[in-house]
Amino acid sequence: MPLLILALILYSSVAQANVRFPHQTPPVTGPSKASPSECPPPLSVTIFLRKQICVHICFAEKLAVANKLLEQQGLADASTLGVQRLTGFRYGQTSLHGHGMAIDIDAATNPYLIHEGNETRLDEELAVVYERIAQFLLGRPSVVPHLGAERHIKETHRASAARLYDVLAQESVAMQHYFVLMKEGPQLWEYVHTPLGSHRVRLPSTFLSLLSKEEENPSQERKAAATSISNLTIDQIRLRMMSDWVTLTGQEGPSILALPRANAGLTGENVYLYYPQVAPPASDNPAKGEADRPFDSKGKAYPGRSPLNGFLTLRKELVLALIDSGLRWGALDLGHTSGDLMHFDSRDATCGRISTWKPFDYVPFS
């Protein structure tokens, strides 16, 4: 009998060692997966891009349509589209996420750029940065401060979204280039000294009045002036870029090696420029929460969120498929709060309103 009792005790210990209780589950480090216990009715666990996500049953219908549209293009897999993480239902929230009527796609690399609630003062600072980047590298105004504005007359919603996507993608690449130039002084030096009419756009007055005045000189004088732009002036541009970095992120960025001050050479002693100190952004109403800078990585919560990586990784095919399925895109469909690139939602909780859709009705974008 004692041996039998001992055997039962040992068996029980081994069995318990192989049981994973809910509170012992290790933290999720990869893409999140929803389970039925975390997805109360009328929500359900659905499959989108071959990933599990918890959403309202009506929202699941629209995701199924988007999935079908993507399948027609051979893009029904998250890895094919470069999608890392989907977030749907959030327990305890009063937003559409709390009702399972919204999803976020790769929030780390597709941030809320501007117009987030309670942040009009921060928006003023952000608008200046987005405008400077677009003018400096693209020679045109930025669309980011105007997200949510009324679309062109006679332009369909889909056409407006496609056009806006292309412009945003262009500005995202420009942001990457802008901060590479901030890091690499010699590259910025070459860019500033590239003659007009080549690949360089006109340096706008919104950046440095000194340089824009040089461009107003007659051609011969301008050529002479171009060779006289000092390394000190180049570093002044970089200091402005560093200030823009802090405005976007709230923290210091990569180390910036100053250009040498003697002659016009591009080598010299290791002297570093200092990032400016900025106060936390003031919110419209502190009682409703703090202002949130768009590129704040929040420690390790948003890996990959950096101005050096731009702000748009969603594929155009994915964005348009979700819009064609009846969802709103947070970048342009939220009125005065538009600017949330990661976000797609629906306010239609009646279901069945897309039952007339047929696969052959869909025409992919060109």
Side-chain angles (χ1 to χ4, degrees):
M1 181 64 70
L3 291 176
L4 178 59
I5 294 173
L6 179 60
L8 289 173
I9 293 173
L10 289 173
Y11 176 81
S12 176
S13 299
V14 172
Q16 290 184 14
N18 288 285
V19 173
R20 180 174 288 174
F21 296 98
H23 65 277
Q24 294 175 324
T25 302
V28 176
T29 56
S32 59
K33 294 184 178 181
S35 68
S37 62
E38 301 168 338
C39 206
L43 280 61
S44 66
V45 176
T46 191
I47 303 297
F48 179 57
L49 302 180
R50 297 179 184 165
K51 287 179 177 285
Q52 290 185 345
I53 186 170
C54 174
V55 293
H56 192 283
I57 55 175
C58 299
F59 199 86
E61 283 190 357
K62 298 188 177 184
L63 289 182
V65 172
N67 226 52
K68 191 67 177 179
L69 298 177
L70 291 166
E71 283 178 359
Q72 293 179 353
Q73 304 172 74
L75 298 171
D77 190 277
S79 60
T80 305
L81 288 163
V83 171
Q84 301 295 320
R85 189 174 184 84
L86 301 174
T87 305
F89 169 66
R90 295 177 188 164
Y91 179 78
Q93 287 199 2
T94 58
S95 66
L96 288 174
H97 279 287
H99 296 282
M101 295 295 288
I103 60 170
D104 286 344
I105 305 177
D106 285 342
T109 51
N110 299 275
Y112 204 147
L113 290 178
I114 201 167
H115 301 149
E116 198 166 354
N118 200 37
E119 297 182 359
T120 55
R121 298 176 187 176
L122 175 59
D123 286 348
E124 293 175 0
E125 299 177 21
L126 296 173
V128 172
V129 175
Y130 297 133
E131 179 71 13
R132 181 163 26 246
I133 292 172
Q135 291 284 6
F136 186 58
L137 289 166
L138 303 174
R140 63 161 175 81
S142 171
V143 300
V144 175
H146 310 290
L147 292 175
E150 294 184 6
R151 61 176 180 264
H152 295 170
I153 298 175
K154 296 183 179 180
E155 185 178 41
T156 65
H157 179 242
R158 188 178 197 275
S160 177
R163 173 180 56 81
L164 179 65
Y165 179 94
D166 291 340
V167 177
L168 285 172
Q170 189 182 46
E171 291 194 31
S172 178
V173 173
M175 176 177 286
Q176 296 177 58
H177 189 194
Y178 184 82
F179 288 110
V180 167
L181 292 177
M182 176 191 76
K183 286 179 55 183
E184 306 297 335
Q187 289 186 29
L188 180 59
W189 191 94
E190 292 176 1
Y191 180 78
V192 169
H193 286 78
T194 301
L196 292 176
S198 184
H199 68 274
R200 180 172 73 83
V201 301
R202 180 176 293 274
L203 290 170
S205 59
T206 54
F207 204 101
L208 274 182
S209 59
L210 171 64
L211 295 182
S212 61
K213 286 180 180 178
E214 289 175 354
E215 293 188 351
E216 294 171 359
N217 295 333
S219 59
Q220 293 299 323
E221 294 182 15
R222 183 169 65 231
K223 289 180 180 179
T227 61
S228 66
I229 298 176
S230 68
N231 287 353
L232 175 61
T233 301
I234 299 299
D235 279 346
Q236 289 176 340
I237 298 176
R238 299 171 80 197
L239 287 169
R240 170 51 62 187
M241 292 172 156
M242 293 164 70
S243 177
D244 292 341
W245 177 284
V246 176
T247 297
L248 294 173
T249 68
Q251 56 194 1
E252 295 184 359
S255 299
I256 305 299
L257 184 64
L259 293 176
R261 297 292 180 256
N263 301 320
L266 300 180
T267 59
E269 299 178 358
N270 292 335
V271 177
Y272 290 89
L273 303 179
Y274 291 96
Y275 283 87
Q277 299 295 318
V278 298
S283 60
D284 299 347
N285 184 352
K288 294 183 178 180
E290 298 179 353
D292 182 26
R293 295 189 187 274
F295 287 86
D296 183 355
S297 62
K298 301 186 184 302
K300 297 181 179 180
Y302 294 110
R305 178 172 287 185
S306 165
L308 281 168
N309 296 328
F311 54 75
L312 180 61
T313 62
L314 301 179
R315 289 273 294 271
K316 187 176 183 180
E317 297 93 332
L318 174 60
V319 170
L320 293 183
L322 289 166
I323 288 174
D324 289 339
S325 71
L327 300 184
R328 304 189 308 170
W329 186 21
L332 75 158
D333 293 327
L334 305 185
H336 67 279
T337 61
S338 296
D340 193 353
L341 272 61
M342 71 187 85
H343 180 90
F344 297 85
D345 69 33
S346 173
R347 294 184 179 277
D348 177 14
T350 58
C351 302
R353 294 190 178 183
I354 55 175
S355 58
T356 58
W357 174 86
K358 297 179 178 62
F360 53 78
D361 291 335
Y362 180 65
V363 179
F365 71 91
S366 58

